[in-house]
Amino acid sequence: MSGAAYQGMFRNPMVSPDILGVSSGAGFGASLAILLSLPVAGIQLFSFAGGITAVLIAVSISKTIGRSHDSVLVLVLSGIIISSLFGALLSILNLNYSSINKKKGGKKYRKSLYYW
């Protein structure tokens, strides 16, 4: 859905949801929900909120900087920055979460969080 919206907005058939950080934000939100052991509906809501948050941050950066520059170029560059930021946050979350030892049923097991 977001890919088709971006293709129409940028008038380019090669545009993907990654361009404004939607995928990275949604992945971070979903991983955070999994870390918090939320049910499936909670994971979906956190994922949606993460994607929306990433787009809103990218657009706000673009509006702040892009007043005197090419607005589409600044929007794309700010989206790449936000995508990298959420990707880094996801890596930090994965690194910290995989090192936590959990106890379940008297046994210790190491639970990790991976990309799906």
Side-chain angles (χ1 to χ4, degrees), residues 73-105:
L73 177 63
V74 174
L75 180 63
V76 169
L77 290 176
S78 62
I80 291 170
I81 291 168
I82 296 303
S83 180
S84 299
L85 174 71
F86 275 106
L89 290 173
L90 182 58
S91 295
I92 291 170
L93 190 67
N94 188 18
L95 178 67
N96 289 333
Y97 185 63
S98 64
S99 65
I100 297 171
N101 287 327
K102 302 271 184 174
K103 285 187 177 180
K104 186 174 187 179

Side-chain angles (χ1 to χ4, degrees), residues 42-94:
I43 295 171
Q44 291 175 351
L45 286 174
F46 268 60
S47 178
F48 182 75
I52 293 293
T53 302
V55 171
L56 291 177
I57 293 171
V59 169
S60 66
I61 290 172
S62 173
K63 293 220 183 248
T64 302
I65 296 173
R67 294 183 182 161
S68 61
H69 303 348
D70 183 18
S71 61
V72 174
L73 177 63
V74 174
L75 180 63
V76 169
L77 290 176
S78 62
I80 291 170
I81 291 168
I82 296 303
S83 180
S84 299
L85 174 71
F86 275 106
L89 290 173
L90 182 58
S91 295
I92 291 170
L93 190 67
N94 188 18

